[in-house]
Amino acid sequence: MMKALIIGSSGGIGAAIAAQLAGDGWDVTGLSRAADGFDVTDPARVDAALAGLTGPFDLIVTAVGILSPASGAPEKNLSAIDANAMAQVFAVNAIGPALILRHAARLLPKDRRCVIATLSARVGSIGDNQIGGWYSYRASKAALNQIVHGAAIELGRSHKQSICVALHPGTVETSFTKDYAGRHKTVPAAEAARNLLGVIAAFKLEQTGGFYDFAGQEIVW
């Protein structure tokens, strides 16, 4: 039986991915703040939770992130930048996934194909940024993309069949996007999960280290 680890399994996309995999016969392990107290901003909790898992996992998906702190909103202009708020966004969106990735070598198999996918966002693309704003969120996702790319290089040395990627899920109908979804076409979480899992299943080894959208199209850095 194929094994999957979904981090952020109580969120809209994470829950949908976990449900889809379970329905397809996978052995699914989930971790989330709501269900397990799994807090990606707490290094000790991340280490304790992941050290307690028994792999290897054929698929690891990290589906955690915030647009802004609960009391704030994405910045519309430079004057709105707040150091504490930016630090919180980076802690969840970039540092948290990095803390997870440092456990990847132990949790992934060395003798077969495996995928570790971290949800990013198209707005983290520097080349695609045409309107500015959302400084903390954009920058944290750009940082995440660099972390994922570096992790892919390192994992490729020891795990020759590993694929480590950053994925843009599109604008999904979840509480995460409810205040901003009116500007973009949205899809239900179940559809987003099917899209992402289809892309993950089709990845080739040479695509490791890349940044892709829900249709499998590469996104410019």
Side-chain angles (χ1 to χ4, degrees):
M1 180 181 291
M2 302 284 276
K3 294 182 65 174
L5 170 61
I6 311 301
I7 298 172
S9 58
S10 65
I13 301 176
I17 291 173
Q20 177 73 46
L21 289 170
D24 290 341
W26 286 59
D27 179 3
V28 180
T29 299
L31 288 173
S32 72
R33 184 166 189 162
D36 312 290
F38 184 82
D39 182 356
V40 297
T41 68
D42 185 334
R45 286 197 177 189
V46 172
D47 287 347
L50 296 184
L53 297 178
T54 300
F57 294 96
D58 300 281
L59 172 63
I60 299 175
V61 177
T62 298
V64 298
I66 58 172
L67 290 171
S68 65
S71 59
E75 309 95 340
K76 293 183 179 180
N77 47 58
L78 289 166
S79 64
I81 291 175
D82 176 84
N84 290 329
M86 180 173 276
Q88 290 179 55
V89 174
F90 266 78
V92 176
N93 292 351
I95 299 173
L99 296 176
I100 292 164
L101 281 165
R102 70 180 180 177
H103 290 266
R106 185 184 65 82
L107 294 173
L108 294 171
K110 290 186 176 181
D111 61 346
R112 61 183 184 272
R113 181 186 185 272
C114 56
V115 178
I116 180 163
T118 304
L119 296 195
S120 184
R122 189 182 298 276
V123 296
S125 166
I126 295 173
D128 190 59
N129 184 359
Q130 303 297 320
I131 61 174
W134 288 39
Y135 291 97
S136 296
Y137 187 67
R138 286 183 185 275
S140 68
K141 290 299 187 178
L144 170 64
N145 291 345
Q146 181 70 284
I147 291 165
V148 169
H149 185 74
I153 294 170
E154 182 173 340
L155 285 169
R157 298 180 184 129
S158 57
H159 296 64
K160 303 296 185 182
Q161 298 183 63
S162 66
I163 299 170
C164 179
V165 291
L167 292 180
H168 167 62
T171 303
V172 184
E173 295 172 7
T174 66
S175 59
F176 185 82
T177 61
K178 64 183 177 60
D179 293 332
Y180 306 95
R183 306 172 192 173
H184 305 280
K185 179 183 177 182
T186 60
V187 297
E191 181 179 343
R194 288 193 297 271
N195 291 339
L196 292 173
L197 290 172
V199 168
I200 287 169
F203 276 135
K204 297 180 174 59
L205 291 178
E206 56 267 27
Q207 291 178 277
T208 190
F211 180 23
Y212 304 94
D213 70 9
F214 53 90
Q217 298 300 305
E218 190 166 11
I219 301 174
V220 63
W221 296 116

